[in-house]
Amino acid sequence: VLVKRSAMERFVLARYFPLYWERTQPLWSVMGSQQSMMRRRGASESSHLRVNECPYASFHGMSLSGGSHVEDSLKTGNKRNSLLSEMQWVKDPSANLENWYLTDIEKILQEAWQLNPHGAKDMRLPGEMYICVGQNPKVGSSIKETQHTQLCECSVTSYPVLQLTSDARFSKRLDAWVDLVRIEPMSAIVEAECGEDHSGAFLRLSTRRPTASAFVEFLVLLRLALLKQFGGGNLLDFLVLSLSDERGGFIVLFAPLPQLVKLDDAKPDFATWKNPFTGESSTSAGLEEARIDVGKGLGHFLVSKPALREQILAGGEDTVKRIWAFNRIPGMCTAIEGFMR
C-alpha cells in the first residue's frame, strides 16, 4: 500500500500552508576564507508557514524552508509534488539549509511581499494585518539544523527604533530610499565629543517592491562583501527584517552584527557576552542583556531576571540604544558607505 506524501502531511500536528517563489540571487556561505554557494540562482523554493509553538510576539509564527529539491524539474501543471516526491524516492542531501551563518535575505523579502497588503492602511480587508518577517542571528537562534524565519504582527509604527532615520538618499537603480542609521545612546554622544564613535548602526531601506531583482541583488552582494571583509560567518552575523510601512511600501532593516562570544557556562539569558571586534563585555558595558535578534533589536524582551526588568523600566529607550551600541563593529559604516559608492 502506498500512502502519498501529500496525504500524510495532512496528519501532522503542526499544520502549515506553503508559499512558493524562485531565487533571483544565489545564497552564499562564507566561513573564514571559504566561500560556498548553498543555493543557485533560479532555484525553486517553498516556505512552510506555521504557528510558533513558543510565541513571544503577537500572532507569532515561523516559516520553515520546504527545501529546494531535485524533483522540482519534474513538476508538471499545477501539481504540488512530482511522482517521485509523493513516493518518497527523492534523495537530495543539499535540500536542507541550516539556520546559523546563513541569513537568507531573499527568503525574508519574498515572504514579507507575499504576506503583507500592498495598499494604504485604509484599504485593508477585515482581519487583514501587517506582518514582520525576520531571521534571528545565531546568538538569538536555538534551532541550528533547520532554516526558519520569524513572523509576527508588526509594521513600521510598532516600535520607535524602526522609525529612526539619519540621512536618507534615493537610489534610482534600487528604486529605494537608503539610510545608514546611527544609533546613539547618551553615553555614545559624550564619547563622540571626545573623538570616539561608540554608536550602533543599521541600514534602513524603503521601497515599493522589495523583491525587485536589483534590490535583492544589492543586499545579497552587500552581505557577501561584508562577510569577506570582516572574517566570515564565524565573526560576523546579520539581522534582516522586512515589514510594511502602512502606505503600500516596505521597510527593510539590514544590520551587520558581531558574533558575540559567550564567556561563561550560564544559560544564554544569564550569560556574560563579549563583542570580539571591540573586546567589550556586557558586564563592563553595564548591560543585563547584550544580544540583538528579531525581538530584542526592536525593544521586545522576554525577561528572565529581575535586574534586566529593572534596567528596562528605568530607561527602555536608552537600554535599547546601548544594546545596539554594544554590538557595534568598528569600520562597518565606512565599509557600507564604500560599497554603496
Side-chain angles (χ1 to χ4, degrees), residues 214-258:
F215 187 86
V216 177
E217 180 184 34
F218 169 77
L219 289 176
V220 168
L221 293 182
L222 174 58
R223 171 181 172 269
L224 180 60
L226 296 178
L227 282 169
K228 291 179 178 180
Q229 182 173 342
F230 288 89
N234 287 321
L235 293 175
L236 186 66
D237 210 337
F238 299 86
L239 172 66
V240 178
L241 304 174
S242 182
L243 57 155
S244 172
D245 65 2
E246 298 190 1
R247 296 176 296 174
F250 290 79
I251 300 297
V252 177
L253 185 150
F254 175 94
L257 301 171

Side-chain angles (χ1 to χ4, degrees), residues 319-333:
T319 298
V320 172
K321 289 182 176 180
R322 287 174 60 199
I323 293 172
W324 276 98
F326 176 80
N327 283 270
R328 69 190 181 277
I329 301 173
M332 180 57 70
C333 288

Side-chain angles (χ1 to χ4, degrees), residues 78-271:
N78 294 319
K79 289 183 179 179
R80 179 180 171 188
N81 295 321
S82 67
L83 178 61
L84 291 180
S85 176
E86 290 283 25
M87 299 177 72
Q88 301 280 23
W89 284 359
V90 175
K91 184 176 181 180
D92 183 7
S94 66
N96 184 59
L97 288 173
E98 291 189 1
N99 201 53
W100 293 2
Y101 313 112
L102 282 176
T103 307
D104 198 341
I105 295 172
E106 189 160 12
K107 173 181 168 68
I108 295 167
L109 299 180
Q110 286 283 353
E111 291 173 356
W113 173 255
Q114 294 193 47
L115 290 173
N116 278 285
H118 299 166
K121 187 174 184 178
D122 58 6
M123 294 178 63
R124 288 188 301 172
L125 299 173
E128 196 169 25
M129 68 178 65
Y130 297 117
I131 300 295
C132 173
V133 182
Q135 184 176 355
N136 277 327
K138 175 178 177 289
V139 75
S141 173
S142 60
I143 304 174
K144 174 186 177 182
E145 301 298 335
T146 305
Q147 183 199 66
H148 59 285
T149 52
Q150 304 292 334
L151 319 172
C152 65
E153 183 183 22
C154 176
S155 70
V156 70
T157 63
S158 300
Y159 297 97
V161 70
L162 295 172
Q163 301 165 49
L164 294 175
T165 59
S166 292
D167 182 23
R169 300 180 182 181
F170 186 75
S171 168
K172 183 178 289 188
R173 188 177 76 85
L174 301 180
D175 192 23
W177 288 91
V178 183
D179 191 357
L180 184 55
V181 179
R182 296 177 184 269
I183 306 177
E184 296 181 322
M186 290 302 299
S187 57
I189 295 174
V190 174
E191 288 154 353
E193 294 174 352
C194 300
E196 299 180 37
D197 184 5
H198 285 189
S199 60
F202 58 75
L203 197 62
R204 184 183 189 271
L205 304 100
S206 176
T207 181
R208 300 288 295 184
R209 186 68 188 250
T211 56
S213 180
F215 187 86
V216 177
E217 180 184 34
F218 169 77
L219 289 176
V220 168
L221 293 182
L222 174 58
R223 171 181 172 269
L224 180 60
L226 296 178
L227 282 169
K228 291 179 178 180
Q229 182 173 342
F230 288 89
N234 287 321
L235 293 175
L236 186 66
D237 210 337
F238 299 86
L239 172 66
V240 178
L241 304 174
S242 182
L243 57 155
S244 172
D245 65 2
E246 298 190 1
R247 296 176 296 174
F250 290 79
I251 300 297
V252 177
L253 185 150
F254 175 94
L257 301 171
Q259 287 284 14
L260 297 184
V261 179
K262 192 163 170 281
L263 297 181
D264 50 38
D265 295 328
K267 292 182 178 181
D269 286 345
F270 298 88

Side-chain angles (χ1 to χ4, degrees), residues 41-58:
R41 177 188 284 110
S44 297
E45 300 281 2
S46 64
S47 301
H48 293 178
L49 278 63
R50 51 165 288 183
V51 170
N52 191 319
E53 295 178 357
C54 299
Y56 51 83
S58 177

